[in-house]
Structure formats: structure tokens, C-alpha cells
Amino acid sequence: MSKIPCTPEEIKLPAEGELIRFENGRYVVPDKPIIAYIEGDGIGPEIVNHSMKVINAAVEKAYGGKRKIIWYELAAGEKAQHLCGELLPKGTLEAIKITKLAAKGPLTTPVGGGFRSLNVAIRMALDLYANIRPVRFYGQPAPSKYADKVDFVIFRENTEDLYKGVEWEMGSEEALKIINFVKKEFGVNLREDSGIGIKPISEFATKRLARKALQWAIKNKIPTVTIMHKGNIMKYTEGAFRRWAYEVAVNEFRDYIVTEQELWEKYNGQMPEGKILVNDRIADNMLQQIITRPWDYKMIVAPNINGDYISDEANALVGGIGMAAGLNAGDEMAVAEPVHGTAPKYAGKDVANPTAELLSMSLMVSQLMDWKEVGYLVEEALRRAIKDRKVTQDLTRHMPGVTPLKASEFRDALIGYIEEIEL
Ligand code: NAP
């Protein structure tokens, strides 16, 4: 086994694997690709190791010995602190730049003081600007009566908006300076006892997100792309987000899309065959419509904060965050990670649901590496396990009379289903 690299000089790739390349807008994947992984904190090591085993079983089932993922361990969080004396070693970031694809478990972020979120630091350092979150129903217990109609993917901007973290405390020198500045320069009165935050939304970041979302929609034949914004109130940030996203759709994907306005003006409300409808919805309206009419939504493109809120709400519709997958993607790199955190109270107890981590890895393998059979096997195995009520405690809690499986038993059940499924 390779040693975990703390520094770039210590990076020593596993000899039996080959590197994934990025050429002409796509990943070129050898039969034995090296993919990095980070176990993470809390329940991270358990869910990551279970998920890798299930993915390995699916690869083996789909391709026999012809293809195999060669996993390469990196460290961040507590393990990195222990091994390298720092929470996010340079060796980790540099190795991901080389392997291009990585999967990670959740990492601890203290509330209030302490260090900045390592998750955010990784996304920023690698410029993973699109947070891709599919929300889908697999038969799990869910609070929404329309859960079986939920099937959409959220593209959340990952690098700016209020998440940029540009803010100053009430009464600080910086906050008071800004309050005085806007009063003097623009005649705008802000209360002196205000904390100040800055909400940057740029044309560059919006357009690259919209571009990635539309490319994904075309590849996956997604019929509707909805731009989510609060542009009626925040005209020059979220309103501009809406305008720039439409500009990308109309100027760069003209042959593929029809806007909602064009649908009525040119096509009398009848969608032309094979085209993608691009529309937009105001955020508050959308937050209620995904509950009352989830079938209207197939892809949601949102600025960072809206994307944050709607993805938790959307996952709640189908049963909660133990199942919620995510992929942080840049132009030539991506890191798969679940939406949930380290759930410290379950760490080391063999009870945490590995599904969110597993679906995150599966999304990376099937969408970015184009090993589609792996995605199919994982999702079908999950459907069968849920149907047979072979699930972990977070799900059996809502299934009266069903005994929960340990996480390792659930992993083995999934592998058993994978072996049974006909391809
Ligand atoms: P959390 O770790 O997501 O856990 C909240 C609750 O969600 C758990 O108590 C548990 O609910 C449920 N849960 C989450 N994952 C589960 C799984 N795999 N299986 C079963 N149940 C699961 O959120 P948190 O307690 O707010 O945050 C803990 C730490 O994680 C913090 O340091 C936070 O900063 C960090 N975090 C990291 C990431 C990331 O790495 N991307 C994301 C979010 C949070 P029940 O109590 O109902 O059983």
C-alpha cells in the first residue's frame, strides 16, 4: 500500500494504475484508473470504505477483470493532523490535481471559532465551482406524498455569493468604515449597529456554472432546466444570475434549448420535440413548488445560498440526508462527497448509512468516467435492498417492525444484489 503523502514530493502513485486524463472537454479513462480517496472524520472512514467495496463489486460485475479502480489514499482532517501535523496537507491537494477524480468522506468543522471549513477550503483550492446534487427516490420511507415523483438534479454555484464569507462583525472597524463609506459616497443610511456581509455574484462564475449544467442536461436528456433566483429583490446579483444563465443558454446552446418566453411566443405552448425548456423561478416560489409539484422540475441551477437551502429541502422530500449524494466539479477535476456531515455520535458504531457516500462515488464513476453500468448496478441494488427492507437504522426508524442491518451487513446485502442483477 502506498504511503499517504503529506507533501507533493511524497506523492507516489500506485504502480498498477494509470492516470485519468482530461482532453477535448472530457475525461479519458484507462481501464485501471487511479482515483484518490479521503476517509474523512467521524463516520467518514466507515462509509467511505463500505462504499469503495460496493463500487469495486459493481465494477467487477460489469466488466469482469477488464476494468478495476485503483484507489489511492490521501488525508485531510483528523487523520492528516495526526500523520502530517496539518489538517489539509499540500500533498493531498496536489495529488488530487494529478488523479483528477477523488472521493471523500465528510470532515469536521467546528461551529463559531476555530478553523475554516476544510470542505470549503478543498472546493476553493481546486476551484470546484459546481456542486451537483441529484435528488431521487429509491423507495425509502419519505415524508412527501409525491416522493416517487421527485427526480431532479441541483447545480449549485460553489465559489461565491454569501458563502464567500466576506463579512464583518457589528461595531468592527471594517463594518463602521463601510457604513460611513456608503453614507458619504452613496447617501445610503445603514444602522451603525449592523454586521455587514458582501454578496458577490459574477458573470464569470454564473456563466461557467450554467454552461456545465446545460452540458449535463444535453448529455442526460434532461427536458427542463430551471434557473432559481431572487432577482425581483436582489436585481444586480441574483437578477443578473438569471440574465447571465439565460445568455449562456441562448448564445451557446441555441440549437438545443427553447426559453419559456419563446415557448409561448413561437410555439404556442407546445414544446418542440427533443429540445430542452429553459425557464426561471423566483426562489421562494420554487421552495414551495418542489413540494407541491415536484414533477415540474428536472434540473435546478442556483446561486450558492439558494442552492444550499433547496438541496436540503429536496432531500428531505425523499427521506433525508443519509441518502443525499454530491459531486463538486471543476473544469478538469471533481471530488465526490455526500451532502451530510460526520455524524459524530454514530462514529465507529457500524450503523451509519453509507448510501449518500456510495451514490456520490457512483455518480462520479457513471457520469464523469462514463462507466454507466456501475451507476445502474448500484442504484438497482439500492432499490432492491429498500424493497426487501434490508436497510440501516436511519431508514428502519420509519419502518415499523423492521430490524435494522448494521452498516457492514447493509454493504454486504448490496454486494449480494449486485451479483444477482442481470445486465
Ligand atoms: P451531520 O453530520 O450531517 O449529522 C446530522 C444528523 O444527520 C445525524 O445526527 C443523523 O441524524 C443524520 N445523519 C447524517 N449522516 C448520516 C448517515 N450517513 N447515516 C445516518 N444518519 C445520518 O450534521 P452535523 O451534526 O450538523 O455536523 C457534524 C459535523 O459535520 C460538523 O463538524 C459539520 O461541520 C460537519 N459537516 C461536514 C460536511 C462535509 O464534510 N461536507 C457537511 C456537513 C457537515 P439522526 O441524529 O436523526 O440519526
Side-chain angles (χ1 to χ4, degrees), residues 225-296:
V225 173
T226 304
I227 305 159
M228 177 187 186
H229 63 90
K230 188 76 184 165
N232 52 332
I233 303 299
M234 293 172 268
K235 295 182 195 310
Y236 305 119
T237 50
E238 302 218 358
F241 180 91
R242 169 186 177 275
R243 177 161 58 83
W244 292 322
Y246 270 123
E247 278 174 16
V248 169
V250 170
N251 296 338
E252 300 180 29
F253 297 89
R254 183 64 280 179
D255 293 346
Y256 297 94
I257 66 107
V258 169
T259 64
E260 194 164 37
Q261 195 180 355
E262 292 165 346
L263 176 66
W264 294 102
E265 283 175 6
K266 284 196 196 161
Y267 300 101
N268 205 18
Q270 291 296 312
M271 257 316 271
E273 180 92 14
K275 301 270 178 177
I276 297 169
L277 174 65
V278 179
N279 57 16
D280 70 279
R281 295 287 179 271
I282 289 177
D284 38 351
N285 179 33
M286 259 215 91
L287 288 164
Q288 60 91 17
Q289 282 197 356
I290 65 160
I291 297 175
T292 54
R293 298 209 305 269
W295 50 86
D296 277 353

Side-chain angles (χ1 to χ4, degrees), residues 43 47 104-111 117 119-120 123 133 321-323 328 337-346 351-357 392-395 397:
I43 59 171
I47 59 171
K104 68 176 271 298
L107 294 163
T108 305
T109 307
V111 178
S117 161
N119 306 295
V120 176
R123 289 175 212 159
R133 293 180 167 181
I321 55 175
M323 310 274 297
N328 294 296
E337 66 171 345
V339 170
H340 65 69
T342 57
K345 69 179 178 186
Y346 294 138
V351 295
N353 189 349
T355 302
E357 181 74 53
T392 44
Q393 53 85 30
D394 51 318
L395 298 187
R397 236 187 268 172

